[in-house]
Amino acid sequence: MPRTCVKRAFKYRFYPTDAQAAELSRTFGCVRKVYNMALAARTEAWARQERVNYNQTSAMLTAWKKTEELAYLNEVSSVPLQQTLRHLQVAFTHFFGKRAKYPRFKSRKKSRKSAEYTTSGFRFRDGKMTLAKMSEPLDIVWSRPLPEGAKPSTVTVSQDAAGRWFVSMLCDDPTVKPLAATDTAVGIDVGLDHLLTLSTGEKIANPRHERRDRARLVLAQRRLAKKAKGSANRAKARQKVAKVHARIADRRRDVLHKLTTRLVRENQTLVIEDLTVRNMVKNRSLARAISDAAWSEFRSMLEYKSQWYGREVIAVDRFFPSSKLCSTCGTLAEAMPLHVRTWTCDCGTTHDRDVNAAKNLLAAGRAVTACGAGVRPQRRTPGGQSATKQETHGATRGISRL
């Protein structure tokens, strides 16, 4: 069965004119307004034990546009307004399927500013993108070319907290094809001292992007705290803080993309640990460092790139004692405090803690492949909180492997 092309988003920065920026800002506001009104209508219907679907909210939108109070909705393109109703429908579908929480209202200050256009809402010709209600094409910085012959099926325009404008084009990418199969496999142990430790013995340093810019971030936040609420100077100071955060996030994402691409290209099987990062960041002593390492983002990139290129990612059960188990003889040590970075087994083998853990993960991943074992569901502690494995639970008590 032939494989279909991979849907891939290509994101570019662009610089709008004053008229385009005003039009897009109005569109963002209308999108948020329609989403919140539709959510309120569906919530009221839910209280009456009734269900409202996308078609009904679409009819509501038509009625809203005819009112004097909401006539301004006619000033922007109808495509993003219809798309936000579809997004709300998807949110409710996930809620009813118990895959997500109940949809929340969009905040004017905190929600993401974005608008999605389908093919009827934009024109893409000769490398120029023109959105509906606009006479001039967007001034896009083409940092990389689109795949040859690619035609965007969806375009999403957004503005981040730092004030930067981006356009994301969803296209079929025929260049993404499965790589030639190899017999290489690698175990990957994540950490804080080193970002990654591979079963081959290689250790990848933790860049600690947030720590490198912490002084600049602290200064910007201190200046923001001194500005009067609602003032223009406070808005400027807030944007400076957002720029520092954006710089940190951009560098972190760049490093993770390079690492995951390299690992996927070099290995057929990649074995990682199924860590509950959501629970681990509740530890106040390690939350900042864990968030800066971005383990969840690393795993997400590794998984979708492996799917693209025909590789396999295996997640080993989080309760597997990878650090305390001797990778040579299989002896399980009774305790392994955090400060112990090297240890000697009874068999005489001296282990580096992280390398040993990566080797054990690789062996466990191969066992999963051979036996068909899966990852056990998350279990609960008597106090109701999610439990993590001994090596990551209670790191401040000296038993964490991080």
Side-chain angles (χ1 to χ4, degrees):
M1 182 177 179
R3 176 176 171 173
T4 58
C5 290
V6 171
K7 286 283 187 181
R8 187 174 181 181
F10 293 83
K11 190 174 182 179
Y12 303 93
R13 189 171 180 181
F14 74 97
Y15 296 86
T17 63
D18 292 341
Q20 290 174 339
E23 175 65 28
L24 290 173
S25 296
R26 284 196 299 269
T27 302
F28 295 158
C30 291
V31 165
R32 183 181 63 253
K33 180 69 173 179
V34 169
Y35 184 94
N36 288 341
M37 292 178 63
L39 177 55
R42 297 185 68 148
T43 301
E44 294 173 1
W46 176 258
R48 300 191 303 268
Q49 297 183 348
E50 298 176 2
R51 285 197 180 186
V52 176
N53 57 25
Y54 162 75
N55 292 330
Q56 291 170 296
T57 55
S58 181
M60 291 179 187
L61 175 60
T62 303
W64 292 335
K65 288 183 175 181
K66 295 179 180 179
T67 63
E68 182 178 354
E69 181 183 3
L70 300 173
Y72 62 86
L73 295 177
N74 294 291
E75 298 176 2
V76 302
S77 173
S78 62
V79 176
L81 304 185
Q82 293 291 342
Q83 286 301 103
T84 196
L85 295 179
R86 292 189 175 94
H87 294 165
L88 181 61
Q89 177 64 35
V90 172
F92 270 100
T93 300
H94 290 322
F95 167 70
F96 292 129
K98 298 182 179 181
R99 296 185 296 272
K101 295 182 179 179
Y102 193 82
R104 296 183 296 179
F105 291 95
K106 292 183 179 293
S107 167
R108 177 179 297 180
K109 295 182 179 180
K110 297 182 180 180
S111 63
R112 180 171 179 261
K113 298 178 181 179
S114 66
E116 184 177 279
Y117 295 80
T118 56
T119 51
S120 60
F122 66 87
R123 181 175 68 254
F124 184 69
R125 294 178 183 173
D126 301 327
K128 295 183 178 181
M129 174 67 64
T130 307
L131 302 178
K133 300 285 186 177
M134 294 185 185
S135 57
E136 299 180 5
L138 301 179
D139 182 14
I140 300 175
V141 179
W142 296 98
S143 54
R144 55 175 174 169
L146 289 174
E148 186 176 356
K151 295 182 179 179
S153 58
T154 303
V155 171
T156 302
V157 181
S158 61
Q159 185 185 25
D160 67 4
R164 303 179 301 179
W165 294 86
F166 295 96
V167 57
S168 179
M169 306 178 191
L170 187 65
C171 309
D172 288 328
D173 189 358
T175 63
V176 176
K177 298 178 181 179
L179 299 173
T182 65
D183 57 355
T184 56
V186 66
I188 305 172
D189 181 68
V190 297
L192 297 180
D193 189 20
H194 292 87
L195 181 61
L196 301 178
T197 301
L198 308 184
S199 56
T200 58
E202 179 184 358
K203 292 187 176 183
I204 299 173
N206 188 353
R208 303 182 188 274
H209 302 288
E210 189 271 341
R211 178 181 292 184
R212 290 170 57 187
D213 276 354
R214 187 172 298 173
R216 181 182 301 179
L217 181 61
V218 168
L219 179 60
Q221 289 174 330
R222 185 180 297 120
R223 290 175 175 172
L224 172 63
K226 294 181 179 179
K227 299 296 187 290
K229 292 186 177 180
S231 65
N233 284 336
R234 184 177 177 85
K236 294 178 182 178
R238 183 205 56 78
Q239 193 169 76
K240 289 183 179 179
V241 173
K243 287 182 178 179
V244 179
H245 280 296
R247 170 186 168 89
I248 294 171
D250 288 345
R251 291 188 308 182
R252 180 189 298 124
R253 192 179 304 110
D254 179 66
V255 169
L256 291 179
H257 270 300
K258 291 176 180 177
L259 281 177
T260 51
T261 299
R262 175 201 147 191
L263 291 172
V264 168
R265 289 184 183 277
E266 294 178 353
N267 302 279
Q268 180 67 33
T269 304
L270 304 103
V271 185
I272 58 178
E273 193 170 16
D274 185 38
L275 297 177
T276 51
V277 180
R278 183 187 307 173
N279 295 327
M280 296 169 67
V281 294
K282 294 178 182 179
N283 185 328
R284 295 184 179 181
S285 300
L286 297 176
R288 174 179 287 181
I290 292 174
S291 299
D292 191 25
W295 295 337
S296 295
E297 189 173 5
F298 167 76
R299 175 173 176 173
S300 176
M301 289 183 182
L302 204 64
E303 288 177 339
Y304 79 72
K305 290 181 181 180
S306 296
Q307 187 177 8
W308 281 0
Y309 297 109
R311 302 309 199 195
E312 182 182 16
V313 174
I314 300 174
V316 175
D317 182 49
R318 64 180 67 98
F319 300 104
F320 177 66
S322 55
S323 294
K324 299 193 298 180
L325 188 67
C326 176
S327 58
T328 302
C329 67
T331 300
L332 184 64
E334 294 184 0
M336 191 65 59
L338 176 63
H339 66 273
V340 177
R341 308 314 301 175
T342 60
W343 59 284
T344 303
C345 180
D346 295 338
C347 66
T349 306
T350 300
H351 296 288
D352 177 284
R353 180 193 185 100
D354 297 330
V355 175
N356 178 65
K359 291 180 178 180
N360 285 325
L361 288 175
L362 176 59
R366 287 172 169 166
V368 168
T369 303
C371 304
V375 177
R376 290 187 297 177
Q378 188 174 342
R379 56 187 174 91
R380 300 279 173 177
T381 61
Q385 293 183 347
S386 300
T388 55
K389 56 180 292 185
Q390 179 192 7
E391 301 169 47
T392 57
H393 184 67
T396 55
R397 299 196 299 271
I399 57 173
S400 173
R401 57 185 285 268
L402 299 176

